[in-house]
Amino acid sequence: MTENRIETSVKDQELIAKRRQQMIKGAISLFKEKGFHRTTTREIAKESGFSIGTLYEYIRTKEDVLFLVCDAIYEQVRKRLEDTIQSDSPSIDNLIFVVKKYFVVMDEMQEEVIIMYQEVKSLKKPAQDYVLQKERDMVNMLKEAIVTCLPDTLTELDAELLANNIFIQGQMWGFRRWILQKRFTLETYVDKQVQFLLSSLAK
Amino acid sequence: MTENRIETSVKDQELIAKRRQQMIKGAISLFKEKGFHRTTTREIAKESGFSIGTLYEYIRTKEDVLFLVCDAIYEQVRKRLEDTIQSDSPSIDNLIFVVKKYFVVMDEMQEEVIIMYQEVKSLKKPAQDYVLQKERDMVNMLKEAIVTCLPDTLTELDAELLANNIFIQGQMWGFRRWILQKRFTLETYVDKQVQFLLSSLAK
Amino acid sequence: MTENRIETSVKDQELIAKRRQQMIKGAISLFKEKGFHRTTTREIAKESGFSIGTLYEYIRTKEDVLFLVCDAIYEQVRKRLEDTIQSDSPSIDNLIFVVKKYFVVMDEMQEEVIIMYQEVKSLKKPAQDYVLQKERDMVNMLKEAIVTCLPDTLTELDAELLANNIFIQGQMWGFRRWILQKRFTLETYVDKQVQFLLSSLAK
Amino acid sequence: MTENRIETSVKDQELIAKRRQQMIKGAISLFKEKGFHRTTTREIAKESGFSIGTLYEYIRTKEDVLFLVCDAIYEQVRKRLEDTIQSDSPSIDNLIFVVKKYFVVMDEMQEEVIIMYQEVKSLKKPAQDYVLQKERDMVNMLKEAIVTCLPDTLTELDAELLANNIFIQGQMWGFRRWILQKRFTLETYVDKQVQFLLSSLAK
DNA sequence: AATGAATGAGTCTTCATTCAT
DNA sequence: CATGAATGAAGACTCATTCAT
């Protein structure tokens, strides 16, 4: 579930959801452009369409905004991954399909991923833990897909490492675009990575 | 050569080198702890062992410190990688040796790598370009090692992607230690990665 | 109208006018005492009756304060000169009246004039041009008064120079008080200057 | 005599004179460009051709430089005025000659005069008094010239005011060049001022 | 006498946060 | 609930001055 722990002066839950949606959208757009530290709360308020006073009705500190943003991004990635994975017919082809889909999602969410990579460490420990747990969950989803599609082929640990590698390779497509996207199209990148993967799995 | 582009009020080149060394050391220690944005110039000066005025005799802006730090870190990684790679007997075993050594270097420089990942984007475009070029250079070194050790096995592009993957996996060992180092020792991590790698290369 | 070009974070126009009034008053008082460069923004804020943060809600840079001050002073002089000049019965006596009135105004605004003389050059070119134009306007007002009251007596150029001389003599009464006010009362100064003026005009 | 009151660590009087000459020249050049407050002691040292350490061997504080500069400028004006005035044949024509010459000097020393006008008030009281006394002396020289050339025509006080007016008009030629030099050449300015002067003296 | 590296008090400016309306 | 003016702690950077060499 999306985070609820952040205190509010406002009672109306629907309103809170709405305002936070605006806020997250505005903030992401700004964080993409200038990063968390260089973005001011005033700018966030403005971009979100309300006043600085109103902003503080829905959060307690600036860091809350970052938390909300991180949470929202992870949630989005997770949902899209989840939709892809709920496959009924486990097979290698299915795994390939899942991986490819994951890379496409990562391609579409490049900027968001960059935010995560750079700013998560600005969160205080508890919030960071909360967010990183979501990342663990996602890696786990990949791992489950691997295990399901390739039973008896890999040890738990191998599956885990593989899931991690895939997960990272997806993120890096956006994070290291300055080097990767100069030399590869998304398609060739995906194809080649999948090919490496498969051949490493063949006995 | 380490970067010289940053303006100084001081003329004595040796002194500049010495003071900057102090500065970089102090700054890295602080950046590890609290990141670039949360570290003040005064703290950097103090940690470096001189006054704020002296700090500014050797740099122009706070960002210069970050640049110096990034430059120094890359340089260090590059040097260690270079030392490892200059092998005379190209072979698969040699490649494995290089890769393993690279992982060890990354293990020893975890904190520094984290700084790079999080703060490089805080540099202005030209400085960022300069630093990222160093990263490209390093990936290239790995690629050359691959091509040399495995001639006729891979296309240029394949070698490049492989180099990238290895490079990233090394970095991630430190960057994602919260997930990886909970489940793997350095040794098992390295072994398994190398194993995946090799099997993907076997014809 | 008084200058509006300076950016504000505050929207309420009335409040802006009020706060700027406070600010100008406070700043003039400080500039009189220690000059622009030796006055800190904090002092200006305090003297104006609000915090440093509030000060910066109404200006962008310290120089803005100087501009506001210069503008306000010129505006005040101009207004008082304007009130005096709108005469319906042009005559030598009327001119004399205007000149004498101008000297009185200059006497009352000695300190302000000193500020202008010393600090206008600290403004950046565009602001300086804007302010100096006001001075040209005022000289022109005097020139018009001369031409109107003494038609056919002087060439344009002569009138202009005369206007300049009068203008300067007025300002110098305050600016050079350390020499003039030791030897003259305002009254004798004015009388004598007017007398020189008249006799130089007599054919 | 040029000022001697400023303390020095150096003994060699000739050297002091030489270094101060360099210093004054350098400082004037800088003050013309950016004013006293915006010029740093480092810049002064550099422009003077020696190090910051050496600069402080010949002065005690930055204000000392300003004092030296002001003193030097006044001394220069005074000397040139003095040279002109020592006339043996007092007459109206002689007075006219002196006045015209004074205007020419002022034309040649415009920038220096501007410095004086703007910065003298930055001196502390005693230094300021010392410098302003020089100005009084010069006005007095003009007054003496007037009285000598036009005996029995004017009262002391009238002569004094006249001297002041002339003195100021000379200074203003440079100080207000943005308005005067747009409309007058030096020649017409001088001619017209003299003409006004004379006609005001004719009985 | 000359040098220039070191110092740190002082300056302008920003921005997260509060609170009266 | 919404607004936006007010606050002041904190931060980057400058520069006059000193002093060891």
Side-chain angles (χ1 to χ4, degrees), chain A residues 37-38 117-118 121-122 132 135-136 139 157-158 160-162 164-165 167-169 171-172 175-176 178-180 183-184 189 192-193 196 199-200, chain B residues 37-38 117-118 121-122 132 135-136 139 157-158 160-162 164-165 167-169 171-172 175-176 178-180 183-184 189 192-193 196 199-200:
Chain A
H37 282 105
R38 290 202 208 292
Y117 256 76
Q118 265 148 24
K121 308 266 162 131
S122 297
L132 291 184
E135 185 146 335
R136 272 190 216 96
V139 174
L157 216 55
D158 282 348
E160 198 157 324
L161 185 54
L162 225 44
N164 247 294
N165 284 350
F167 193 71
I168 288 168
Q169 282 162 8
Q171 289 183 148
M172 287 300 129
F175 193 75
R176 293 172 67 84
W178 51 275
I179 188 167
L180 292 175
R183 306 283 287 149
F184 302 87
Y189 182 74
K192 281 184 183 306
Q193 292 289 27
F196 280 145
S199 56
S200 85
Chain B
H37 282 105
R38 290 204 207 290
Y117 257 75
Q118 261 146 26
K121 309 265 161 128
S122 296
L132 290 184
E135 183 145 340
R136 273 190 215 95
V139 174
L157 215 56
D158 282 348
E160 198 158 324
L161 185 54
L162 223 43
N164 247 295
N165 284 350
F167 192 72
I168 288 168
Q169 282 161 5
Q171 291 181 148
M172 287 303 129
F175 194 76
R176 293 170 68 82
W178 50 274
I179 186 167
L180 291 174
R183 305 285 286 151
F184 303 87
Y189 182 73
K192 281 187 183 301
Q193 292 289 25
F196 281 145
S199 55
S200 86

Side-chain angles (χ1 to χ4, degrees), chain C residues 37-38 117-118 121-122 135 158 160-161 164-165 168 172 175-176 183 192-193 196 199-200, chain D residues 37-38 117-118 121-122 135 158 160-161 165 168-169 172 175-176 183 192-193 196 199-200:
Chain C
H37 283 106
R38 290 204 207 290
Y117 256 76
Q118 264 146 24
K121 309 264 161 131
S122 296
E135 183 145 340
D158 282 350
E160 199 158 323
L161 186 54
N164 247 295
N165 284 351
I168 288 167
M172 287 302 128
F175 194 76
R176 295 172 66 83
R183 305 287 285 150
K192 282 189 183 299
Q193 291 289 26
F196 281 144
S199 56
S200 86
Chain D
H37 283 104
R38 290 203 209 290
Y117 256 77
Q118 264 147 25
K121 309 265 160 133
S122 297
E135 183 145 338
D158 281 349
E160 198 158 325
L161 186 53
N165 283 350
I168 289 168
Q169 281 161 7
M172 287 301 130
F175 194 76
R176 294 170 67 84
R183 304 286 286 151
K192 279 186 185 304
Q193 291 289 25
F196 281 146
S199 58
S200 86

